[in-house]
Amino acid sequence: MSTTPATARSVTKTVTIARPVADVFAFLADPANWPAWAVVNVKAIEPTDDPDWWLMATPHGPARLRIRSNADLGLLDHDYVEEQASWQVPARVVPNGTGSEFMITFFQPPAFSDAFFDEQIALVDTELATLKRLLETAA
């Protein structure tokens, strides 16, 4: 019997945003901004007594979010925890000329069927388009 974990299926999404890296990073690093752009998955969010964790209302019920950020590296990795599952989501903001590239990778949780994972990933396109529109029109 092998104890080596299986390699998970993954999908990386990217969006180019015509705003400086510092602006994009600052917006994404603040969980209070997430309902404005993560319109499919985050209905509301509020801080908790633990300053690292936020409580979210999602279409699937309550969940917790923690962002592990590092502005110097453009790091916006986050942890997502709900009643039935938890996972980590690597994310980065990097320079792209005078603008930015936001990259986010999703690993398929073992409890998700391929069809359900595909449906959820397709919804991310809506959120990234919303993020781009919000940040570029706010410039």
Side-chain angles (χ1 to χ4, degrees):
M1 182 168 112
S2 173
T3 58
T4 305
T7 301
R9 179 175 167 222
S10 67
V11 174
T12 299
K13 298 279 189 165
T14 66
V15 62
T16 303
I17 302 171
R19 289 285 297 273
V21 168
D23 295 352
V24 175
F25 183 90
F27 184 82
L28 289 169
D30 183 352
N33 291 326
W34 283 43
W37 71 271
V39 294
V40 174
N41 291 303
V42 181
K43 302 302 180 191
I45 194 164
E46 62 187 59
T48 67
D49 291 337
D50 181 338
D52 291 335
W53 287 94
W54 289 67
L55 180 62
M56 297 187 300
T58 77
H60 307 287
R64 293 183 308 131
L65 174 73
R66 174 177 61 186
I67 299 174
R68 292 175 283 111
S69 62
N70 180 313
D72 292 336
L73 301 175
L75 180 76
L76 287 164
D77 292 359
H78 49 284
D79 300 314
Y80 178 88
V81 178
E82 64 177 35
E83 184 177 310
Q84 300 170 7
S86 66
W87 54 87
Q88 295 180 334
V89 181
R92 304 287 184 275
V93 177
V94 298
N96 181 351
T98 58
S100 303
E101 199 73 22
F102 176 54
M103 301 171 283
I104 187 167
T105 299
F106 300 93
F107 295 98
Q108 182 174 341
F112 285 14
S113 69
D114 287 345
F116 182 73
F117 183 68
D118 291 342
E119 289 171 12
Q120 297 306 301
I121 292 302
L123 297 173
V124 172
D125 293 334
T126 299
E127 294 182 334
L128 294 180
T130 301
L131 175 66
K132 179 179 177 71
R133 186 183 71 253
L134 275 173
L135 289 175
E136 290 182 352
T137 58

